[in-house]
Amino acid sequence: MSKVLKERILVVDDEPDLLELIEVNLKSAGFDVLSATNGKDGLQLARQTTPGLIVLDVMLPELDGLEVCKSLRRDAVTGDIPIIMLTARVAEIDRVLGLELGADDYVTKPFSTRELVLRVKNVLRRKQTRKADDGDHIQFGGLSIDRSRHRVSFQGRPLDLTLTEFKLVTVLAERRGRVQSRDQLLKDVWGYNSLIDTRTVDTHMRRLRHKLGGAARYLDTVRGVGYRFLEIQT
């Protein structure tokens, strides 16, 4: 019987005790874990090993986590690797900036390792769900969504979306005409039941609309409730 390979997680954090704690808990959850203690080494290790997911601290020596995230997203080899950012900063702008640079999720220190492992599993589950899709296309007006290949285009022009942005537009398009609350989107896109701030949804929607360009007209904000994909064919 062939041996099932463990999903590899790269953890980048400069706090030795916390790094060890995260490693122990991820290994206990069945993951293969690599680690780095500064941004420069973390970026290099990510490019060399292409892990299944990266847990990335914001405050790092050599190269901070935001710059590492930006570099990872610009690289064809690492551009699709899911990233969960760790931050000790309490200002919302720091969390929003991480999401706008392409992070899939963030955890604010101090946090429970159980919560972090849950978030790792949920982000990886979304990744695997995308890979296992049946290959159906969603075509609406000039917007085309290829679920099996993780590709979105508008009027023939490919759009560069992160995994979370892709899932978000796909869920909305599949349910076009129906309002989706922020809590429902957190559950169906992120895999959480109100474990994270619903403003995370708003942040990703702003980024998604910007990237969609002309196709952003399909995304409607329902004040006080959530979002819906409009049934218009303009």
Side-chain angles (χ1 to χ4, degrees):
M1 183 179 295
S2 60
K3 185 178 180 180
V4 178
L5 295 177
K6 296 180 180 180
E7 188 79 72
R8 177 175 294 165
I9 310 296
L10 170 61
V11 183
V12 188
D13 197 295
D14 65 333
E15 298 180 45
D17 292 342
L18 180 58
L19 183 59
E20 181 180 2
L21 183 62
I22 294 173
E23 288 180 323
V24 168
N25 280 270
L26 287 175
K27 287 178 180 177
S28 296
F31 296 108
D32 180 25
V33 183
L34 298 175
S35 64
T37 56
N38 64 70
K40 185 177 180 181
D41 289 346
L43 183 58
Q44 182 177 7
L45 199 53
R47 289 169 173 166
Q48 291 174 345
T49 65
T50 55
L53 181 143
I54 300 172
V55 177
L56 178 65
D57 189 25
V58 171
M59 299 296 291
L60 291 169
E62 301 288 341
L63 196 65
D64 70 45
L66 296 175
E67 286 299 321
V68 173
C69 183
K70 187 188 300 184
S71 296
L72 289 168
R73 286 292 175 251
R74 289 176 175 173
D75 192 321
V77 175
T78 60
D80 290 330
I81 298 175
I83 299 172
I84 297 178
M85 301 203 75
L86 305 179
T87 176
R89 300 179 178 182
V90 295
E92 181 183 359
I93 185 63
D94 295 309
R95 300 195 296 271
V96 170
L97 183 56
L99 293 171
E100 289 181 343
L101 289 175
D104 296 271
D105 198 0
Y106 69 86
V107 178
T108 304
K109 297 179 180 179
F111 56 85
S112 73
T113 51
R114 181 180 179 183
E115 178 188 357
L116 177 60
V117 171
L118 173 64
R119 295 193 183 215
V120 167
K121 289 181 177 179
N122 281 331
V123 172
L124 288 173
R125 189 178 298 118
R126 299 203 309 265
K127 176 183 175 183
Q128 292 303 320
T129 298
R130 173 177 61 81
K131 287 184 176 180
D133 210 294
D134 60 8
D136 288 346
H137 283 71
I138 298 175
Q139 186 73 43
F140 198 81
L143 185 67
S144 177
I145 303 174
D146 184 339
R147 292 179 290 187
S148 66
R149 298 182 179 181
H150 187 212
R151 292 178 181 173
V152 178
S153 61
F154 180 61
Q155 296 180 343
R157 180 176 62 86
L159 304 178
D160 183 21
L161 304 184
T162 66
L163 176 64
T164 300
E165 292 163 354
F166 173 80
K167 181 65 174 178
L168 184 56
V169 72
T170 300
V171 167
L172 289 169
E174 288 173 340
R175 303 171 187 177
R176 55 184 174 269
R178 291 179 285 165
V179 177
Q180 304 299 304
S181 69
R182 290 172 175 83
D183 284 336
Q184 188 64 44
L185 289 171
L186 279 177
K187 178 181 177 181
D188 295 340
V189 176
W190 281 263
Y192 308 135
N193 289 309
S194 300
L195 288 179
I196 56 177
D197 196 319
T198 55
R199 287 175 295 182
T200 296
V201 180
D202 299 329
T203 298
H204 278 82
M205 284 295 296
R206 286 195 296 270
R207 295 180 63 242
L208 178 60
R209 279 175 164 144
H210 177 72
K211 291 185 178 182
L212 288 178
R217 64 176 178 267
Y218 294 124
L219 303 182
D220 181 41
T221 301
V222 181
R223 187 178 298 275
V225 182
Y227 300 92
R228 65 181 168 185
F229 193 101
L230 294 175
E231 296 185 284
I232 55 176
Q233 289 279 6
T234 59

